[in-house]
């Protein structure tokens, strides 16, 4: 067995950790004692004795019993003590007291560990005092360390070599034209940068060899522990690379020709995953980005050759991210023009993925993510690069021959989502995203949930950044892209979606519609048509959210045309088309069995129509009102809904001023009829009372009016209020009659007070059919009935209402308005 | 002498450069033998315990790089006797025969006690590892048969393995 074996016997009673501590303590104790002796001898200039103690101290490093952590502590303690020896010797050499053949002397140490540590220490002293032997000594030291083949001891020994020589490595260019050696003189061999590179590369190769060999030590069952220990020691190997990077004469050329090839040769040949993963990342971190830019091809080619279990993706991503940062730095030189960074990476990544057949798909996609980041950071104007990455991704998926969609929770799906979100977030402009030809095809690989989530992401991005969609073609594209929000999908799950989520999504689409906006009205019309096609196919549940905003958009467009009427002589025909479009759209809602919604939309349309005032608008408005009535009659059956609906119809109609008498009259009559047909008496009373306003402030246009064949009259006068006082009274009197038929006294009184208020309203408006007697009569009736009511909260409210009314009259009486009618004779 | 610049004598013998394959190859000295899974078979007088002897190695001298056989104590004794008779190996001691435990009227299960079996297992493991690591023993046919043949043919012809 090797002479390096320690003679210590292991203890058996203590836990492994306690045992380690004990061993370490014992060793450190020896170190303390021997180093003290060593220093004492050196103080007395007894060098040989001092070396003997140093040797004893170094013998502690011969142990096989310590874990790497403990060995490291021991090593550090001894290295510290050896500095005393080094300083002593340097002093002696400087003072001229050089010991003869010291270099050979220390090689007489009996055991190899003390021998080599001392040799290194002495060798460095020689170099520091006389540069001319530097080259030979360095070469000798790095070769002699081969004597220790035990992985742990060898690694630390070579680390000692590296640390001791850190300021002694020649860092000058080679002398092209050396002077010939004169006779009798010793050749000066102080070495140059090439020698330093050789030195470090050899040390690195040997250290890597020992480090890799560690995996074969010990029992199979301890493999995990060994791997952990190897990780603890990795910095020892990496320090070689750091040292290389610190040499100033290692410029780009030498890096390309000598340094990197030397490193990569070891990394690839060792075929060890732990070493490869660490060292490749070490290279990236330790050497400057300018060097990496010039050596991308060899580096990436080596990536393809790494052990199958190495996570190559992380290495490449680390490099890409670093270079992207470098490119982005404001104060940096940026990427040189002659380096087609994107092309190089694109190609090499493809090579790597081809070479590694069992790379999981999500890792391949991760690589595409880093490429896309590279494209966006380094070449932000080149959209085609981003598209190229997406194209590659499509090809990847094609090769996979997927039978089904990517499951939402799978790693691949997540990576693909990540990939697609990057251009969205980067451009913050969905129009640019639409220019990426291969963006939409990638959506097709997702399953339903992912498609929906991505669609929501896209729409949210538009809304957050207010990205307007100004062209019909783009509208078409984008609604196609987010079709999972717009229409039912073949792979939609069978069960009903959560109603809250569903309405949130659809509201999102509704809001999105406000972004469909072009400056050119004709283009806007085309946009609306495109949107209509998509949303129209959304199914009954969706259209109630999506078609109304569309209709309102159309109304707005009509107003825009009206504003531009000077510039566009076809504006009236276009408005007509728009309202046809609205009619059709609202009808789609009726087909889907909605009633209140289309009713409101028709009323809104009628109003809008009246205000835009294009050719034939009266016909269209009339049609819209009739449709509203049909809906009312056919579809609205709930009595509460009926009251609300008819009130809305009447109120809308009251505001309209586009009808001539010929059209106004039948509509008026319909309103009154519908009101009187309400089922419940109170509703009837109220409905009929409201109708009274139609006869007063309802407006008609004078003049010929529109023939029913649609021809407009050339002369349209200003709209005029009907102010038919008699008919108003008829309505209100009818209301009173109906109120009298109510069984519930409190309801009755309430209705009386309401009608009273209406009387007052019309009286003040100047309706001559309303006079003070009428008012007095009603007031008296109310005063009679009020006390008979049961007291309750409701009663209080009714009372309050009446008191307020009376108060109003009182005020008017005592300080009458100059223009209002007089309340003379009013009995309050 | 003390005034001159000291010249270090760095002359060495020239050594052949190691190839990359050699440098990173797994060392051909891997030998791991585990003695495990003791099982007690049969009943009454014929009762006995045997152990799995599992070997993993990359030593060229062994035909199979992985093997697993079942051996009982008497098989180990046979191996020891063969080696003592036929080779110059100084054979390490086996764990004890435990005669006392085989006497009747014991309060416990004698040689079938779990503690005893574990103690014996450890001893057998230490024994076989020492033997198999010995270069002289590695040449003996009896060792190869013991480690890698399913059954021991006690009427074999003793001798040494010829390296092919």
């Amino acid at each position: 067995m090797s002479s390096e074996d320690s003679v210590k016997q292991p203890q058996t009673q203590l836990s492994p950790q306690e045992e380690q501590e004990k061993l370490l303590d014992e060793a450190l104790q020896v170190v303390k004692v021997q180093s003290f002796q060593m220093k004492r001898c050196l103080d007395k200039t007894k060098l040989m004795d001092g070396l003997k103690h140093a040797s004893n101290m170094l013998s502690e490093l011969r142990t096989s019993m310590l874990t790497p952590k403990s060995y490291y502590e021991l090593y550090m303690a001894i290295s510290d003590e050896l500095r005393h020896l080094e300083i002593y010797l340097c002093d002696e050499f400087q003072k001229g007291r050089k010991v003869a053949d010291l270099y050979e002397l220390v090689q007489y140490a009996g055991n190899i560990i003390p021998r080599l540590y001392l040799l290194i220490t002495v060798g460095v002293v020689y170099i520091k005092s006389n540069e001319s032997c530097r080259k030979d000594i360095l070469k000798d030291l790095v070769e002699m360390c081969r004597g220790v083949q035990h992985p742990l001891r060898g690694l630390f020994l070579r680390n000692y070599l590296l640390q001791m020589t850190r300021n002694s490595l020649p860092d000058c260019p080679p002398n092209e034209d050396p002077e010939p050696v004169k006779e009798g003189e010793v050749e000066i061999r102080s070495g140059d940068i090439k020698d330093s590179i050789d030195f470090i590369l050899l040390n690195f190769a040997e250290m890597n060899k020992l480090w890799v060999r560690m995996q074969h030590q010990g029992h199979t069952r301890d493999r995990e522990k060994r791997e952990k220990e190897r990780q603890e020691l990795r910095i020892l190997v990496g320090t070689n690379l750091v040292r290389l990077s610190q040499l100033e004469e290692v410029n780009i050329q030498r890096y390309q020709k000598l340094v990197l090839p030397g490193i990569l040769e070891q990394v690839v040949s060792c075929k060890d995953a732990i070493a490869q993963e660490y060292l490749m990342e070490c290279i990236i971190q330790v050497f400057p980005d300018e060097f990496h830019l010039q050596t991308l091809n060899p580096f990436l080619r080596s990536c393809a050759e790494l052990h199958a279990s190495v996570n190559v993706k992380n290495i490449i991503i680390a490099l890409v991210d670093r270079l992207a940062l470098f490119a982005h730095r404001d104060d940096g030189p940026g990427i040189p023009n002659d380096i087609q960074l994107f092309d190089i990476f694109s190609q090499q990544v493809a090579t790597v993925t081809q070479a590694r057949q069992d790379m999981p798909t999500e890792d391949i996609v991760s690589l595409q993510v880093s490429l896309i980041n590279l494209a966006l950071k380094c070449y932000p104007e080149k959209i085609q690069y981003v598209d190229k990455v997406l194209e590659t991704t499509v090809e990847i998926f094609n090769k996979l021959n997927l039978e089904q969609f990517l499951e939402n929770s799978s790693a691949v799906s997540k990576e693909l989502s990540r990939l697609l979100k990057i251009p969205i977030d980067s451009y913050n402009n969905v129009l640019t995203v639409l220019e990426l030809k291969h963006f939409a095809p990638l959506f097709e690989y997702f399953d339903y949930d992912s498609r929906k989530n991505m669609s929501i992401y896209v729409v949210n991005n538009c809304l957050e950044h207010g990205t307007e969609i100004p062209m019909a073609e783009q509208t078409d594209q984008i609604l196609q892209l987010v079709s999972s929000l717009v229409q039912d999908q073949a792979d939609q799950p069978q069960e009903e979606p959560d109603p809250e989520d569903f309405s949130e999504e659809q509201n999102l689409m509704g809001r999105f519609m406000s972004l469909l906006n072009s400056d050119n009205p004709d283009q806007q019309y085309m946009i609306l048509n495109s949107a209509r096609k998509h949303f129209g196919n959304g199914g009954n549940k969706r259209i109630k959210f999506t078609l109304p905003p569309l209709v309102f958009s159309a109304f707005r467009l009509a107003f825009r045309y009206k504003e531009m009427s000077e510039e566009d002589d076809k504006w009236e025909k276009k408005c007509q088309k728009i309202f046809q479009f609205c009619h059709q759209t609202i009808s789609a809602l009726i087909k889907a069995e909605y009633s209140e919604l289309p009713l409101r939309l028709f009323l809104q349309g009628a109003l809008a129509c009246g205000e835009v005032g294009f050719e034939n608008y009266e016909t269209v408005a009339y049609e819209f009102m009739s449709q509203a009535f049909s809906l009312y009659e056919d579809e609205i059956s709930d009595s509460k809904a009926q009251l609300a609906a008819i009130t809305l119809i009447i109120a809308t109609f009251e505001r309209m001023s586009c009808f001539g008498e010929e059209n106004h009259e039948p509509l008026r009559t319909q309103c009154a009829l519908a009101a009187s047909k309400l089922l419940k008496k109170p509703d009837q009373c109220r409905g009929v009372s409201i109708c009274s306003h139609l006869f007063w402030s309802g407006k008609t246009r004078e003049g010929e009016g529109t023939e029913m064949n649609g021809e407009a009259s050339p002369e349209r006068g200003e709209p005029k209020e009907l102010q038919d006082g008699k008919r108003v009274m008829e309505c209100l009197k009818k209301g009173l009659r109906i109120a009298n038929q109510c069984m519930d006294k409190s309801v009755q009184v309430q209705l009386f007070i309401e009608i009273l208020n209406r009387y007052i309203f019309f009286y003040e408006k100047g309706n001559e059919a309303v006079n003070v007697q009428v008012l007095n009569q009603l007031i008296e009736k109310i005063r009679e009935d009020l006390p008979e009511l049961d007291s309750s909260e409701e009663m209080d409210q009714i009372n309050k209402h009446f008191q307020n009314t009376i108060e109003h009259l009182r005020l008017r009486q005592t300080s009458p308005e100059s223009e209002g009618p007089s309340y003379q004779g009013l009995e309050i | 002498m003390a005034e001159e610049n000291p010249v270090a004598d760095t002359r060495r013998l020239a050594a052949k450069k190691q190839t990359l394959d050699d440098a990173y190859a797994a060392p051909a000295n891997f030998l791991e033998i585990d003695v495990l899974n003791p099982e007690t078979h049969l009943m009454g007088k014929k009762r006995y315990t045997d152990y799995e002897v599992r070997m993993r190695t990359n030593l060229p001298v062994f035909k199979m790089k992985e093997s697993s056989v079942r051996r009982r104590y008497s098989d180990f004794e046979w191996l020891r006797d063969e080696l003592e008779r036929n080779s110059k190996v100084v054979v390490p001691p086996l764990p004890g025969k435990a005669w006392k435990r085989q006497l009747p009227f014991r309060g416990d299960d004698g040689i079938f006690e779990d503690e005893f079996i574990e103690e014996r297992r450890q001893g057998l493991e230490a024994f076989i590892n020492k033997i198999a690591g010995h270069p002289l023993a590695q040449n003996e046919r009896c060792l190869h048969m013991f480690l890698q043949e399913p059954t021991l043919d006690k009427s074999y012809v003793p001798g040494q393995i010829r390296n092919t």
Side-chain angles (χ1 to χ4, degrees):
Chain A
M1 301 303 240
S2 108
S3 60
E4 292 176 63
D5 269 358
S6 162
V7 295
K8 287 205 203 336
Q9 297 298 325
Q11 302 271 22
T12 44
Q13 298 306 323
L14 304 168
S15 81
Q17 191 170 345
E18 284 169 346
E19 210 179 293
Q20 279 294 299
E21 282 174 17
K22 184 160 186 285
L23 287 168
L24 181 60
D25 279 339
E26 284 170 1
L28 288 173
Q29 197 52 33
V30 172
V31 169
K32 210 157 131 180
V33 166
Q34 291 298 322
S35 68
F36 174 75
Q37 294 293 344
M38 174 186 82
K39 281 179 268 197
R40 222 166 64 143
C41 291
L42 292 179
D43 285 342
K44 298 186 193 152
T45 66
K46 289 187 174 157
L47 178 57
M48 289 301 120
D49 291 335
L51 287 175
K52 183 81 185 79
H53 287 294
S55 185
N56 292 342
M57 180 175 74
L58 282 163
S59 290
E60 292 305 307
L61 286 176
R62 296 173 57 212
T63 179
S64 301
M65 303 267 97
L66 292 177
T67 62
K69 259 208 197 95
S70 309
Y71 195 92
Y72 169 75
E73 272 196 57
L74 180 60
Y75 164 86
M76 289 305 286
I78 294 179
S79 305
D80 277 346
E81 300 304 334
L82 283 175
R83 279 203 43 73
H84 294 285
L85 177 62
E86 184 200 349
I87 290 171
Y88 170 81
L89 287 172
C90 278
D91 276 349
E92 289 292 294
F93 274 50
Q94 266 201 346
K95 291 178 191 154
R97 291 204 290 269
K98 297 181 173 110
V99 180
D101 304 328
L102 183 58
Y103 196 78
E104 290 81 6
L105 251 168
V106 294
Q107 292 178 56
Y108 283 101
N111 293 304
I112 193 163
I113 287 280
R115 186 185 317 144
L116 290 178
Y117 274 90
L118 287 175
L119 188 64
I120 292 170
T121 313
V122 167
V124 167
V125 169
Y126 269 55
I127 291 173
K128 282 185 178 164
S129 71
N130 171 19
E131 254 189 36
S132 60
C133 56
R134 184 167 60 177
K135 175 172 165 160
D136 290 330
I137 292 183
L138 286 174
K139 188 156 192 305
D140 194 43
L141 291 176
V142 79
E143 293 276 350
M144 288 293 275
C145 285
R146 276 190 217 275
V148 177
Q149 287 295 314
H150 182 272
L152 186 64
R153 296 195 285 268
L155 281 172
F156 276 99
L157 175 66
R158 285 192 179 272
N159 180 259
Y160 184 70
L161 174 64
L162 208 56
Q163 297 296 359
M164 287 299 281
T165 56
R166 72 175 165 276
N167 296 321
S168 306
L169 295 174
D171 198 358
C172 54
N175 190 348
E176 300 296 321
D177 213 4
E179 285 176 26
V181 182
K182 296 200 186 92
E183 212 177 305
E185 277 191 2
V186 178
E187 184 188 350
I188 297 187
R189 296 162 63 77
S190 59
D192 56 48
I193 185 65
K194 287 221 179 90
D195 301 310
S196 294
I197 293 175
D198 287 340
F199 174 88
I200 300 176
L201 282 178
L202 181 56
N203 200 46
F204 167 69
E206 288 296 312
M207 285 181 84
N208 196 34
K209 177 176 95 179
L210 295 176
W211 188 41
V212 168
R213 190 178 292 165
M214 276 182 83
Q215 67 184 290
H216 301 293
Q217 283 182 307
H219 200 280
T220 320
R221 70 176 87 95
D222 296 328
R223 192 170 52 136
E224 256 182 54
K225 184 170 84 122
R226 263 203 308 286
E227 284 181 0
K228 201 155 97 56
E229 287 180 350
R230 280 191 63 197
Q231 291 286 3
E232 287 170 9
L233 296 169
R234 65 184 192 260
I235 187 67
L236 295 179
V237 182
T239 307
N240 290 286
L241 301 187
V242 173
R243 192 70 73 240
L244 279 168
S245 74
Q246 289 168 339
L247 292 169
E248 300 219 354
E249 282 296 319
V250 170
N251 52 25
I252 288 191
Q253 287 85 351
R254 292 198 182 104
Y255 180 77
Q256 272 174 313
K257 284 216 196 60
L258 300 170
V259 172
L260 187 63
I263 300 173
L264 288 178
E265 187 185 42
Q266 298 301 320
V267 172
V268 171
S269 312
C270 74
K271 299 193 179 64
D272 172 69
I274 293 179
Q276 287 178 336
E277 217 167 291
Y278 170 66
L279 290 171
M280 291 302 267
E281 296 215 11
C282 202
I283 294 173
I284 296 174
Q285 287 183 27
V286 146
F287 292 104
D289 295 321
E290 289 88 340
F291 286 13
H292 296 314
L293 282 170
Q294 300 291 342
T295 52
L296 287 173
N297 279 318
F299 185 87
L300 292 170
R301 266 202 302 273
S302 299
C303 282
E305 296 174 43
L306 297 179
H307 190 271
S309 63
V310 172
N311 195 333
V312 169
K313 145 192 129 185
N314 286 345
I315 298 172
I316 296 183
I317 290 177
L319 184 58
V320 169
D321 288 349
R322 213 183 139 94
L323 292 177
L325 260 173
F326 175 76
H328 227 203
R329 256 179 30 212
D330 288 331
D331 56 336
I335 311 286
N337 284 332
D338 61 331
I339 295 184
Q340 300 298 325
L341 198 65
F342 180 79
D343 289 330
I344 293 174
F345 268 107
S346 205
Q347 260 165 29
Q348 292 292 353
V349 165
T351 310
V352 166
T353 51
Q354 253 176 18
R356 301 170 82 81
Q357 289 297 325
D358 47 352
M359 196 185 228
T361 314
E362 56 266 23
D363 282 1
I364 304 183
V365 180
S366 290
L367 284 170
Q368 304 306 313
V369 169
S370 66
L371 279 177
I372 234 186
N373 273 324
L374 179 73
L376 285 167
K377 280 215 173 70
C378 299
Y379 305 97
E381 352 64 60
K382 294 215 174 149
I383 299 183
Q384 65 268 38
Y385 283 172
V386 175
D387 205 19
K388 175 102 184 51
V389 176
L390 297 178
E391 188 182 7
T392 312
T393 314
V394 173
E395 279 165 20
I396 292 169
F397 282 118
N398 277 337
K399 280 211 196 85
L400 286 180
N401 275 328
L402 291 169
E403 302 228 316
Q404 355 158 256
F405 301 117
L406 299 172
E407 222 188 275
N408 185 27
S409 51
S410 71
V412 190
S413 185
K414 291 203 177 93
E415 278 307 303
L416 187 58
S417 297
R418 247 185 88 209
L419 182 70
L420 293 176
K421 283 184 185 168
I422 292 174
I424 299 176
D425 291 332
S426 202
Y427 296 128
N428 279 327
N429 181 344
V430 76
L431 300 175
T432 317
V433 174
L434 288 176
E435 288 180 47
L436 300 166
K437 288 202 267 292
H438 296 90
F439 187 87
L442 282 170
F443 262 53
E444 302 303 312
Y445 290 102
F446 282 123
D447 71 353
Y448 176 74
D449 286 326
S450 308
R451 275 208 310 283
K452 200 143 73 88
N453 287 338
M454 283 303 297
S455 302
I456 293 177
Y457 197 84
V458 169
V459 174
N460 269 324
N461 184 277
C462 295
L463 287 170
E464 270 165 36
H465 293 92
T467 317
E468 289 195 337
I469 319 290
M471 303 284 289
E473 198 186 306
Q474 290 163 329
T475 306
D476 191 45
Q477 269 182 300
I478 200 172
L479 290 177
Q480 186 64 36
L481 182 70
V482 302
S483 61
S484 50
L485 293 175
V486 173
Q487 298 173 11
D488 280 347
Q489 305 285 294
D491 60 338
Q492 201 163 302
Q494 294 292 344
E495 63 276 354
E496 292 291 309
D498 174 67
E500 258 184 50
D501 288 343
F502 183 76
S503 63
E504 218 181 281
E505 271 164 37
Q506 295 306 310
N507 277 321
L508 199 67
M509 290 316 288
R511 282 168 57 208
F512 177 68
M513 232 175 294
S514 64
L515 295 174
L516 301 175
N517 193 21
S518 169
D519 285 338
N520 177 325
D522 292 337
Q523 183 66 227
Q524 182 73 3
Y525 182 67
M526 284 171 43
I527 289 176
L528 290 179
N529 265 313
S530 176
R532 170 79 177 82
K533 258 203 301 275
H534 285 273
F535 286 118
N537 287 330
N540 292 352
K541 293 209 188 65
R542 289 194 181 85
I543 56 177
K544 95 161 176 217
F545 292 97
T546 53
L547 293 188
L550 200 57
V551 171
F552 279 101
S553 256
F555 291 156
R556 279 200 293 277
L557 183 58
F559 280 104
R560 266 169 78 179
Y561 272 119
K562 177 175 160 119
E563 274 168 38
M564 294 180 43
S565 52
E566 309 281 308
E567 294 143 45
D568 187 352
D569 56 350
K570 292 208 187 70
W571 76 276
E572 289 183 292
K573 285 238 160 34
K574 290 180 182 174
C575 283
Q576 187 134 15
K577 257 176 103 174
I578 288 174
F579 278 95
Q580 253 165 3
F581 171 88
C582 294
H583 190 285
Q584 201 191 54
T585 309
I586 303 173
S587 304
L589 287 166
I590 301 177
K591 279 203 202 77
E593 295 180 19
Y594 292 103
S595 43
E596 279 183 43
L597 189 56
L599 182 134
R600 285 167 176 266
L601 289 172
F602 273 126
L603 290 178
Q604 194 76 47
L607 265 179
C609 199
E611 288 189 28
V612 172
F614 55 95
E615 200 182 306
N616 291 332
Y617 73 109
E618 200 183 330
T619 318
V620 179
Y622 190 85
E623 164 66 13
F624 274 46
M625 289 300 292
S626 324
Q627 286 289 339
F629 263 111
S630 301
L631 279 167
Y632 172 78
E633 279 158 22
D634 300 337
E635 305 294 335
I636 305 203
S637 43
D638 175 67
S639 52
K640 234 166 127 176
Q642 274 182 343
L643 177 62
I646 194 59
T647 309
L648 193 62
I649 293 174
I650 294 171
T652 309
F653 184 49
E654 188 266 344
R655 280 181 50 201
M656 296 183 67
S657 53
C658 63
F659 294 115
E661 176 61 20
E662 212 176 281
N663 285 325
H664 200 271
E665 199 268 327
L667 289 172
R668 263 192 331 252
T669 315
Q670 270 299 93
C671 288
L673 209 58
S676 61
K677 285 211 275 202
L678 289 168
L679 181 66
K680 300 195 186 140
K681 288 295 173 185
D683 291 345
Q684 246 184 47
C685 169
R686 288 187 173 111
V688 162
S689 309
I690 291 175
C691 277
S692 61
H693 289 278
L694 289 179
F695 292 98
W696 188 260
S697 49
K699 302 175 232 344
T700 56
R701 283 185 177 272
E702 276 180 14
E704 296 295 309
T706 331
E707 313 297 335
M708 284 319 278
N709 64 12
E711 278 185 33
S713 149
E715 273 148 42
R716 307 291 288 160
E718 283 307 300
K720 201 181 88 155
E721 287 190 3
L722 284 171
Q723 294 193 355
D724 186 344
K726 228 171 67 165
R727 298 297 304 275
V728 169
M729 280 307 285
E730 276 172 30
C731 287
L732 293 177
K733 281 214 185 94
K734 182 157 178 196
L736 276 176
R737 274 202 304 279
I738 300 172
N740 271 317
Q741 294 167 15
C742 289
M743 301 273 312
D744 188 333
K745 263 294 188 211
S746 65
V747 170
Q748 222 185 47
V749 174
Q750 213 174 349
L751 291 170
F752 286 156
I753 299 174
E754 285 171 25
I755 294 176
L756 173 63
N757 273 283
R758 286 203 205 274
Y759 275 151
I760 296 171
F761 174 80
F762 286 114
Y763 181 71
E764 292 184 2
K765 286 283 182 192
N767 182 348
E768 285 163 4
V770 184
N771 53 35
V772 173
Q773 280 106 312
V774 170
L775 294 176
N776 283 339
Q777 261 177 344
L778 191 49
I779 292 172
E780 207 186 300
K781 181 81 169 84
I782 294 171
R783 281 200 195 281
E784 264 175 41
D785 290 346
L786 257 179
E788 288 174 28
L789 297 179
D790 298 327
S791 77
S792 66
E793 218 177 272
E794 219 177 73
M795 214 298 253
D796 290 338
Q797 279 181 354
I798 297 170
N799 216 351
K800 192 92 179 81
H801 192 187
F802 182 57
Q803 293 309 323
N804 287 342
T805 315
I806 297 298
E807 193 52 40
H808 170 87
L809 289 171
R810 188 166 291 142
L811 276 171
R812 283 290 158 87
Q813 229 187 8
T814 52
S815 43
E817 285 174 16
S818 48
E819 284 171 15
S822 108
Y823 275 105
Q824 215 175 21
L826 187 68
E827 287 161 24
I828 305 179
Chain B
M1 214 42 157
E3 305 303 321
E4 284 171 18
N5 276 332
V7 176
D9 189 358
T10 56
R11 295 169 298 172
R12 305 282 173 207
L13 293 171
K16 208 165 76 150
K17 191 161 143 60
Q18 189 182 35
T19 65
L20 282 169
D21 284 336
D22 277 347
Y24 289 112
N29 64 355
F30 173 60
L31 176 67
E32 222 171 66
I33 305 184
D34 294 309
V35 174
L36 36 127
N37 297 334
E39 276 171 20
T40 305
H41 307 278
L42 304 184
M43 303 298 289
K45 289 219 175 81
K46 297 220 173 141
R47 203 152 87 146
Y48 74 98
T49 309
D50 67 0
Y51 307 81
E52 182 185 343
V53 178
R54 186 174 67 195
M55 180 174 92
R56 292 194 207 107
T57 184
N58 66 1
L59 287 167
V61 69
F62 287 105
K63 220 169 30 177
M64 297 199 313
K65 299 309 167 197
E66 270 188 37
S67 66
S68 170
V69 297
R70 292 204 73 89
R71 297 285 178 251
R72 53 188 293 183
Y73 183 79
S74 53
D75 295 333
F76 282 82
E77 285 182 306
W78 171 86
L79 177 64
R80 181 205 48 204
D81 296 339
E82 289 298 302
L83 285 172
E84 275 176 354
R85 185 172 343 120
N86 299 319
S87 79
K88 294 204 172 54
V89 176
V90 175
V91 184
L94 271 174
K97 187 87 180 153
W99 289 115
K100 256 198 177 156
R101 283 185 176 261
Q102 293 182 48
L103 291 173
F105 309 123
R106 284 180 66 94
D108 61 15
D109 221 357
I111 57 172
F112 300 106
E113 277 292 303
D114 287 335
E115 268 177 37
F116 172 71
I117 288 180
E118 173 55 23
E119 219 179 276
R120 178 172 270 191
R121 185 200 69 75
Q122 286 178 10
L124 292 176
E125 193 173 82
F127 172 82
I128 190 63
N129 271 292
K130 283 198 196 114
I131 294 274
H134 196 303
L136 287 182
Q138 281 169 7
N139 276 332
E140 292 295 321
R141 216 181 273 152
C142 56
L143 178 65
H144 287 257
M145 190 162 66
F146 179 90
L147 287 173
Q148 303 199 315
E149 303 275 332
T151 50
L152 289 182
D153 176 11
K154 301 211 170 130
S155 61
Y156 83 116
V157 178
Q160 286 168 355
I161 302 281
R162 266 178 237 306
N163 276 330
T164 43

